[in-house]
Amino acid sequence: MGHITKSSWVPSVTLRVDAEGVEPAALLLGADGRVRGDADMVFEGQPVHPSGAVRHEQASLVLALHEVEAAVERIVIAGVADGGTLTALAPDGATVASYRVPGSPDATAVVFAEFFRESGGWKFGGVGKGYGSGLAGLVTEFGVEVAEAEESSEPAVAGPVPLTGVVKMPGQAPSADGAVVSAGRFPPVDGAVVHGGPFPSADGAVVSGGPFPSADGAVVPGRPFPPADRPYQLVEGWEFGPVFEAFTITGDDDQVVTVDGRVPPGPVLVEAAHEDRGYFGVFPLNSKNKDEEYLFNTTLPDFTGSSVVPAPEGRALRLRVRADRRWAMRVKPVAAARRLEGTLRGYGPEALLYTGGVADLQVHFEGDEDGGGYVGIWCHEVAGHTRLTDQPTLLLNRTEPQRRTVPLPEGPLLLLYKADGPWTLTVDGLDR
């Protein structure tokens, strides 16, 4: 189907990729030719990659090639179609690559082309491979697990398929008894595999969802409201906090959540999402069933965030949720939080793990919708500790948009980052 053209160099800038009325999808692949997690598929139903480097916008894909993570070797462009012409445009509107795939009556989905690394840059190559099994069969070839379609008398609607999870989640972490637990899957007592995980993450983990800053500084709408259960991975070698099977719950108004017995005492990660606009707050309850200091207290639209709270000894962790809209929450090991290295983007508060040496941290906080907002960073040095330090180091405490540099001590560190809008963090290591 189609023909293979000689590959050509493309500039490592932000490109817009269109495919003649087709809703395109991008698959970010590692050196093994497979996705690392379900966040590595960007399409209409999941429009922002955790790194922010690949986005789906208005029936197009935006690829910031200069921001793609080093672990990504190829970006495959596909769509629900039997053919068509794929075009990649530079920021000035000039066409830098184009490839035509002739239609075929046997194909319902097609891989149009791919971008791949070579000699420190990026090349474009046409592929033109059709799939009679549709997009579901296409993405399965690259390591994506697709949900089984339910039987229905209604005709099938062409478009992106629902995803239940993705294979190829590397890394391992020790469990409490010393056994090795594969990242992203925690076997309960009965041996069944249960998925949990971030709303999604980068460097393996997940960036909190919500708007992300584009290359020109504009805010891009985030992914849709996350499902209650998604895979995640642990940061390899991180030893702070217990390892356990994730706990997930959803709701649509005020509720008191009692976390079940799968969550042991010690510091745990809490991720939360709140749909649309309105107020969202989460408050741990103490032994007297009274609110303690809040975990989340926000009116950010399409909020997603994470923080760390100590699960108490001798009783269940209880959280009071106040919400105007639908929400989801996950309680997971701290080791499942996103790792801070290189450049990281996010939206709202997030718990971050730092395992590098002394460094400078460049902070760019874009502010909230009204041009204000708060940004703060608390640093917990966790080496040799089993609980959060009573007096963490306050690295940043400001209001309004900021561009600042703060010093980081040597890791391992747990950074509790609080922000009322989109942000970018860049780690600059220091030579010693």
Side-chain angles (χ1 to χ4, degrees):
M1 180 178 184
H3 61 283
I4 304 299
T5 61
K6 184 178 179 180
S7 59
S8 58
W9 292 99
V10 293
S12 296
V13 297
T14 300
L15 303 180
R16 181 173 292 275
V17 179
D18 296 300
E20 284 189 330
V22 177
E23 288 289 350
L27 294 158
L28 285 71
L29 310 180
D32 61 354
R34 296 169 71 83
V35 296
R36 300 163 298 170
D38 67 348
D40 278 348
M41 182 174 177
V42 177
F43 62 111
E44 184 180 14
Q46 184 170 274
V48 182
H49 188 263
S51 66
V54 179
R55 308 186 303 275
H56 182 283
E57 295 181 2
Q58 299 176 345
S60 299
L61 288 168
V62 177
L63 279 57
L65 295 179
H66 57 296
E67 297 181 0
V68 175
E69 302 157 288
V72 175
E73 294 288 334
R74 296 164 57 203
I75 303 175
V76 169
I77 310 299
V80 178
D82 62 356
T85 300
L86 188 80
T87 304
L89 304 176
D92 62 0
T95 299
V96 298
S98 181
Y99 185 71
R100 180 177 177 273
V101 180
S104 170
D106 299 326
T108 56
V110 61
V111 173
F112 288 98
E114 64 179 2
F115 295 84
F116 58 94
R117 294 186 188 271
E118 186 171 312
S119 302
W122 286 91
K123 278 189 170 182
F124 172 90
V127 178
K129 183 177 181 181
Y131 291 76
S133 55
L135 188 60
L138 186 157
V139 301
T140 299
E141 181 172 306
F142 299 102
V144 178
E145 294 178 358
V146 180
E148 293 292 335
E150 296 182 3
E151 294 186 4
S152 173
S153 59
E154 297 295 325
V157 179
V161 295
L163 306 180
T164 56
V166 180
V167 297
K168 301 301 293 180
M169 299 295 285
Q172 294 180 320
S175 64
D177 60 4
V180 172
V181 179
S182 296
R185 296 173 184 261
F186 297 89
V189 176
D190 61 5
V193 173
V194 178
H195 293 278
F199 301 141
S201 146
D203 73 333
V206 174
V207 169
S208 296
F212 287 87
S214 65
D216 61 2
V219 172
V220 179
R223 59 185 58 81
F225 188 74
D229 205 23
R230 297 186 78 151
Y232 66 93
Q233 71 179 60
L234 300 176
V235 170
E236 189 171 359
W238 183 268
E239 298 180 350
F240 182 70
V243 174
F244 55 91
E245 177 193 341
F247 171 89
T248 66
I249 189 171
T250 60
D252 56 11
D253 52 17
D254 295 359
Q255 187 172 337
V256 173
V257 175
T258 300
V259 179
D260 65 24
R262 80 187 74 179
V263 178
V268 299
L269 181 73
V270 178
E271 291 184 332
H274 182 247
E275 189 176 43
D276 204 1
R277 294 178 178 270
Y279 176 75
F280 179 71
V282 177
F283 303 83
L285 296 172
N286 60 23
S287 59
K288 297 181 180 179
N289 215 29
K290 294 183 177 180
D291 289 351
E292 294 185 334
E293 184 177 356
Y294 65 82
L295 279 182
F296 308 109
N297 184 36
T298 182
T299 57
L300 275 176
D302 295 316
F303 169 81
T304 61
S306 67
S307 190
V308 173
V309 65
E313 183 85 41
R315 63 182 179 88
L317 173 64
R318 284 167 52 79
L319 303 167
R320 183 168 73 95
V321 179
R322 292 183 55 196
D324 291 338
R325 298 287 187 272
R326 197 159 56 114
W327 54 268
M329 189 158 54
R330 305 182 182 96
V331 182
K332 306 188 306 181
V334 175
R338 198 154 51 127
R339 182 170 176 172
L340 175 60
E341 57 183 3
T343 296
L344 213 58
R345 292 175 177 79
Y347 170 77
E350 189 167 354
L352 301 169
L353 312 184
Y354 179 69
T355 58
V358 294
D360 287 338
L361 180 64
Q362 297 179 18
V363 181
H364 178 200
F365 169 58
E366 297 192 23
D368 60 18
E369 293 180 312
D370 300 323
Y374 172 77
V375 58
I377 305 176
W378 283 261
C379 174
H380 292 266
E381 299 185 48
V382 301
H385 293 275
T386 58
R387 60 187 182 90
L388 294 173
T389 50
D390 293 330
Q391 295 183 327
T393 302
L394 181 60
L395 300 179
L396 184 63
N397 186 35
R398 296 283 179 176
T399 56
E400 300 182 347
Q402 301 285 324
R403 284 186 180 270
R404 291 185 175 270
T405 302
V406 297
L408 288 180
E410 185 175 7
L413 307 174
L414 168 64
L415 301 177
L416 298 182
Y417 186 88
K418 296 186 178 181
D420 290 336
W423 49 264
T424 303
L425 301 177
T426 301
V427 177
D428 288 335
L430 302 179
D431 295 330
R432 300 184 66 178

